[in-house]
Amino acid sequence: MILARPGSHLHFQEGNGGSGTSRDLPKATQSHLLSVCLLSDPAQPRLCQQRGLPAALSGEEKRIYRVPVFTAPFCQALLEELEHFEESDMPKGRPNTMNNYGVLLDELGLDEPLVTPLRERFLQPLMALLYPDCGGPWLDSHRAFVVKYAWGQDRELGCHYDNSELTLNVALGKAFTGGALYFGGLFQVSAPHGARMGAAYLWVHRPEPCHLQAPAALMQPLEVEHVVGQGVLHRGGQLHGAQALGTGERWNLVVWLRASAVRNRLCPMCCREPDLVDDEGFGDGFTREEPPMVDVCALT
Ligand SMILES: O=C(O)CCC(=O)C(=O)O
Ligand SMILES: [Fe+2]
């Protein structure tokens, strides 16, 4: 699936469980590839659940899942690449308004070769099955970044919701203690127009992810430990944060997955129909929807 070549070019390589490339992968990853193939088949959802992938981390209401994503050698190679980039004098932006340390995958040049195929070939079928009501079937862009926690840098992350319809968070390493993720309830009240597809979110006007002061929805948080190479899937509106790092360094790849079909109607950050300005790349995941074409000839 994903291979790191010496020389540190990282890319996504499609595998189908029967191709030559999959011979090099550890067994667990091969069976995972097969499972993902099954998950992408809408006729087979029950079979997939019987096979136990991905593992639900919570009861039905939180809908948080764990899923294997990268092999340990790939995580190691990616970490090395991230550190080279960090040490370089290349221009660097912050991953988001909450994290001060980390890397934007776009700036590293890994958005197109790694994250887009990961979204299109791996996450899309899985998310369509797990979150059909939250944009899962319509994911069409992302913002991907690595967050880094270390002593003297960021150590924890306050409770927030993401600027995403759905989120993948993969632990890359290194060795560390603490830093577990915690999840509360869904950030939701009624949407202003009641026209939103999927979950509705709290009515606030904030352009970026919002830190919250100990909301009641966090009374009984679900704690999720990191497992290197494994990803946690959750809805963007699921309140969450990261506990303080104890020792070591923690690096996680976070992919905010976006579905323009959902957010064009109701921005998940401000709960309004968004006012759009043109941007480069994926921007914030919105698209301009052209009015439907009318065939004038057909009217005459
Ligand atoms: O620290 C983490 O792994 C969580 C990061 C996160 O929730 C985010 O960046 O949206
Ligand atoms: Fe987050």
Side-chain angles (χ1 to χ4, degrees):
M1 182 166 99
I2 294 175
L3 305 173
R5 280 180 290 181
S8 79
H9 284 289
L10 304 173
H11 64 286
F12 188 94
Q13 195 163 344
E14 193 168 19
N16 58 14
S19 74
T21 54
S22 67
R23 265 187 286 124
D24 306 330
L25 297 173
K27 253 201 153 94
T29 311
Q30 287 195 29
S31 68
H32 171 57
L33 284 179
L34 290 173
S35 295
V36 171
C37 291
L38 284 172
L39 283 171
S40 68
D41 178 357
Q44 299 285 358
R46 247 213 236 140
L47 183 57
C48 302
Q49 276 158 19
Q50 281 163 9
R51 299 219 166 178
L53 271 176
L57 286 172
S58 65
E60 177 61 22
E61 101 273 3
K62 280 205 175 66
R63 298 168 67 188
I64 297 165
Y65 297 89
R66 191 192 289 287
V67 61
V69 180
F70 297 141
T71 61
F74 178 84
C75 291
Q76 182 59 36
L78 182 55
L79 281 175
E80 283 169 23
E81 189 73 356
L82 289 161
E83 286 188 312
H84 290 154
F85 183 74
E86 201 184 33
E87 286 157 17
S88 78
D89 52 13
M90 306 275 285
K92 301 174 191 89
R94 282 174 59 184
N96 56 51
T97 56
M98 306 174 293
N99 290 86
N100 297 297
Y101 298 89
V103 175
L104 284 158
L105 272 274
D106 187 32
E107 292 183 346
L108 188 56
L110 285 183
D111 224 10
E112 208 182 305
L114 176 68
V115 187
T116 296
L118 180 69
R119 167 169 57 80
E120 291 177 347
R121 298 178 203 167
F122 175 94
L123 294 169
Q124 172 72 57
L126 196 55
M127 295 307 215
L129 191 77
L130 297 175
Y131 304 101
D133 52 333
C134 306
W138 302 291
L139 300 177
D140 55 359
S141 73
H142 59 262
R143 179 180 173 90
F145 49 87
V146 169
V147 290
K148 180 191 173 193
Y149 299 86
W151 276 78
Q153 300 186 359
D154 290 337
R155 283 195 53 219
E156 64 192 341
L157 185 62
C159 179
H160 65 281
Y161 57 96
D162 293 340
N163 186 348
S164 70
E165 275 64 65
L166 296 163
T167 295
L168 167 72
N169 181 331
V170 190
L172 301 175
K174 301 178 173 181
F176 61 89
T177 59
L181 300 175
Y182 58 87
F183 291 90
L186 194 66
F187 194 32
Q188 84 184 127
V189 291
S190 30
H193 309 299
R196 181 173 166 73
M197 286 197 265
Y201 295 74
L202 190 62
W203 173 262
V204 287
H205 181 72
R206 287 182 196 269
E208 287 290 338
C210 154
H211 286 268
L212 303 159
Q213 302 294 323
L218 272 181
M219 291 300 273
Q220 286 186 315
L222 173 78
E223 213 174 287
V224 178
E225 295 291 344
H226 301 279
V227 180
V228 170
Q230 298 204 354
V232 173
L233 305 174
H234 63 87
R235 289 171 288 183
Q238 199 83 46
L239 295 170
H240 62 283
Q243 290 172 356
L245 183 79
T247 56
E249 264 180 38
R250 177 166 78 82
W251 299 67
N252 280 52
L253 170 66
V254 178
V255 186
W256 285 349
L257 297 156
R258 287 147 172 189
S260 61
V262 174
R263 61 180 42 221
N264 285 353
R265 278 157 191 77
L266 196 63
C267 163
M269 306 315 289
C270 68
C271 294
R272 296 182 201 172
E273 197 173 314
D275 290 331
L276 299 178
V277 290
D278 289 321
D279 202 351
E280 285 179 4
F282 289 135
D284 277 322
F286 301 98
T287 55
R288 270 185 215 286
E289 289 180 0
E290 300 298 331
M293 294 277 281
V294 178
D295 186 343
V296 182
C297 297
L299 294 177
T300 58

